[in-house]
Amino acid sequence: MKNTVAEIKHLKKSFGTKNVLKDISLKLEKGENLVVLGKSGSGKSVLIKCLVGLIQPDSGEVDLFGKEISELTNQELNVLRKKVGFLFQSAALYDSMTVRENLEFPLRDLPSADTTDTEALVRDALKNVGLEEAIDKMPSELSGGMIKRVGLARTLILKPDIILYDEPTTGLDPITSKEISKLILEVQQKYNTASIIITHDVPCARITANRILIIKEGVFIAEGTFDELSASEDEWIRSFFI
Amino acid sequence: MTNKSAIDEGAPSDQSVSINAVKAAFEEIGQMTRFTMRFFKEVLKPRYEFRALLKQSYIIGYKSFPLIAITGLIMGLVLTIQTRPTLASFGAESWLPGMVSLSIIREIGPVIAALIFAGKVGSGIGAELASMKVTEQIDAMEVSGLNPFKYLVVTRVLATTLMLPVLVIAADAVSLFGSYLAINLKGDISFQLFFSQAFAAITFTDVFPAIIKTFFFGFSVGIIGCYKGYNSVKGTEGVGAAANSAVVIGSLAVFITDMIAVQLTSLFT
C-alpha cells in the first residue's frame, strides 16, 4: 500500500501580475525520488518553498504527513519542519560559522537526549558525504561541490523523512554533478527518504528519479519515468532529453 | 486631443505621487512597529540565546571601542580649543573644565557616540542580515524549525541596547581626557584640579538622564538595522540599500529620541 508523506492540491501562486503556479497538484510517496523538471523561471523553486511554508500560496492545500500546514501554529509547523530537510540551491551555509557549527545548528532545539553525542552526529553526517576532514573549515574555504555536500550533510543530520532539493547540481561541473546525483540516490536508499528534486539537469534526473513531473508555465504537463518521458511524442518534452 | 495631453493623462499626477509616498511611509512605519512588537514578544520567551548575545556584545561593543574612543578624544580636544577663546574674552577661563564636561556628558558625548555607533554598527547589522536573507541563510534557519528572529534579531538588538551606554561612558571619559590635554596645550592645569573642576559642575541629574537615553539610542539603532536587513529585498542591490537606510534612519531616530529625552528631562529638572 502506498504511503503518502506530502500532498499538494490545486496550488496557485502569483507575484504581482505574474501567475507562477496556476494549478499544481502532486503526491509524494514514502521512499520515492520525485523529480520536477522544467525550464528556469517555471515556478519549480516556488513550489517546494510553498511546501514548507516559506512562501504562502494564494490558494490550494499543502499537506505534510497528513496535516494541512496552513492550519498549524508556528510551533506545530516548526515541529513538522524538523522532519523535512531542505537543500537550497546555494546550500545556504551560515557563512559566519564553521562546518561543525553549521551542522550543530539544527540540533540546538532538540531534546538533550537526542544531542548527547553531537560530535558523533556531526562526524557521521560529514562521513556520509565524504567530507570529515572539512569539519573545522569555514564555508569560504570550500569549493562549490564541497559546499553542496556540507549543505546535504546539514540537511541529513536531523534524519528527515522528506528531503527537498532545490537545483542540487546547478553551477557544478559535470563530474561533481554526477557525484552529487549519486549521493542523492545513496541517501534515498540508505535512509528510505522521500525526496522532491527540483532541477533542469537531465543527467541528474536520470540518476535520481523514480518518477518525473514536467512543469511548464505553472502547470504540470507530463508525468512518467525517465524512459517514458524521453520517448514522449511531444516534441517540447522530448527536447529536454536530447 | 494632442499627443502631449494624452501622455499627461497617462502619467501619474504630482498629487498621486505624493499620496503614494505618504502611504508607503505609513506602511513602513506600521511594519516597523509590528517588527518592534515582535521583538518584545520574542525577548521574553525561552529559549534565551545567551551565547549569541555574548558574541554580539563582543562584536558590537568591544570592537566598536577604538573608533568611539578616538572620536571621543578628538571631540574633547576640539570642544575645548573652540570654547576657550569665548570664555577667555569674559575672563572666565577657569570655567572651561566645568563647561566642557557638562556639554560632553549631557549632550555631545551621547549623541556623537550614538551617531558613530549608527554608522558602524547599524550599517553592519543591516548589511549582514540583508546578505543572509539574499543567500537564503535566514530561510535555511526557518526550514530547520528554528526561530531566526530570536537568534538574529533579539540578540543583536539586546546587544546594541546594552553596549551603547557602556561605550558612551567610555567615550565621555576619553573625551574629558582630551579636554584636559587641550587645556594643557595653552595653559597648565593638574590632572586632579581639572577633574575636580569638571566633576564639581556635574550633578546626578546631568549624568543619569544622559545615560538612560543612550539605552534608547542603542535600541533604535539595533531595531532599525535589524528591520532593514531582515526585510531586505531585490538581491545584492537590497544589501546596499539596507545598510544605507539603516544608517540614515538610525541616525534620524537618535536625534528624534534625543529631542524627546531633552523635553522629558526638562520637565523634571
Side-chain angles (χ1 to χ4, degrees), chain B:
Chain B
M1 190 191 287
T2 63
N3 280 346
K4 188 177 180 302
S5 62
I7 291 166
D8 286 348
E9 270 181 24
S13 67
D14 287 349
Q15 196 185 1
S16 72
V17 170
S18 313
I19 290 169
N20 286 342
V22 171
K23 208 174 141 189
F26 274 108
E27 273 173 14
E28 179 90 356
I29 292 168
Q31 282 168 8
M32 211 181 274
T33 308
R34 248 191 9 216
F35 191 81
T36 309
M37 297 314 290
R38 187 175 172 196
F39 166 81
F40 286 114
K41 209 173 106 187
E42 301 274 4
V43 75
L44 299 171
K45 275 196 311 194
R47 117 188 217 150
Y48 304 111
E49 303 281 357
F50 289 118
R51 267 182 67 185
L53 175 62
L54 272 178
K55 187 181 170 190
Q56 288 305 322
S57 298
Y58 171 77
I59 295 168
I60 287 166
Y62 182 75
K63 290 203 166 178
S64 302
F65 177 73
L67 182 64
I68 299 272
I70 290 167
T71 313
L73 185 75
I74 294 167
M75 200 164 63
L77 279 164
V78 171
L79 189 65
T80 308
I81 293 166
Q82 297 275 33
T83 313
R84 181 197 281 270
T86 314
L87 288 179
S89 67
F90 291 106
E93 264 184 287
S94 60
W95 287 8
L96 201 52
M99 197 173 161
V100 170
S101 65
L102 206 59
S103 311
I104 287 171
I105 286 171
R106 283 186 74 153
E107 190 59 33
I108 298 171
V111 172
I112 299 286
L115 291 176
I116 299 289
F117 191 75
K120 184 184 182 291
V121 175
S123 64
I125 290 175
E128 187 187 7
L129 294 193
S131 125
M132 287 185 79
K133 173 103 179 178
V134 168
T135 54
E136 298 178 309
Q137 292 176 49
I138 294 179
D139 285 346
M141 284 185 187
E142 207 162 333
V143 293
S144 302
L146 301 167
N147 184 346
F149 192 95
K150 198 159 184 71
Y151 185 78
L152 299 172
V153 176
V154 172
T155 54
R156 278 166 177 77
V157 177
L158 280 179
T160 56
T161 310
L162 298 173
M163 285 298 109
L164 184 59
V166 177
L167 288 170
V168 166
I169 292 168
D172 286 352
V174 177
S175 203
L176 288 179
F177 181 69
S179 174
Y180 163 75
L181 292 179
I183 289 175
N184 272 288
L185 288 177
K186 281 198 174 177
D188 189 20
I189 186 168
S190 72
F191 195 71
Q192 264 182 327
L193 182 60
F194 173 83
F195 276 94
S196 69
Q197 284 189 357
F199 287 118
I202 303 166
T203 62
F204 183 71
T205 51
D206 296 318
V207 178
F208 193 65
I211 298 298
I212 293 290
K213 72 180 175 186
T214 58
F215 284 99
F216 291 94
F217 291 169
F219 177 79
S220 307
V221 170
I223 200 85
I224 289 165
C226 286
Y227 169 77
K228 286 292 169 186
Y230 204 80
N231 295 295
S232 155
V233 285
K234 293 184 188 167
T236 46
E237 189 193 336
V239 177
N244 185 278
S245 52
V247 178
V248 174
I249 302 174
S251 304
L252 197 63
V254 167
F255 284 120
I256 293 169
T257 312
D258 190 44
M259 190 180 70
I260 296 167
V262 168
Q263 295 294 324
L264 286 175
T265 310
S266 68
L267 289 177
F268 300 103
T269 51

Side-chain angles (χ1 to χ4, degrees), chain A residues 49 52 54 78 81-82 84 86 88-90 92-97 105-106 108-109 154 158, chain B residues 38 47 49 51-52 55 128 131-132 135-147 151:
Chain A
K49 285 183 178 174
V52 285
L54 276 179
N78 281 343
R81 277 170 169 168
K82 289 197 185 293
V84 183
F86 198 119
F88 286 86
Q89 192 172 341
S90 60
L93 296 185
Y94 310 128
D95 47 22
S96 60
M97 299 180 193
F105 199 79
R108 47 196 280 121
D109 271 0
R154 189 178 68 184
L158 287 175
Chain B
R38 187 175 172 196
R47 117 188 217 150
E49 303 281 357
R51 267 182 67 185
K55 187 181 170 190
E128 187 187 7
S131 125
M132 287 185 79
T135 54
E136 298 178 309
Q137 292 176 49
I138 294 179
D139 285 346
M141 284 185 187
E142 207 162 333
V143 293
S144 302
L146 301 167
N147 184 346
Y151 185 78

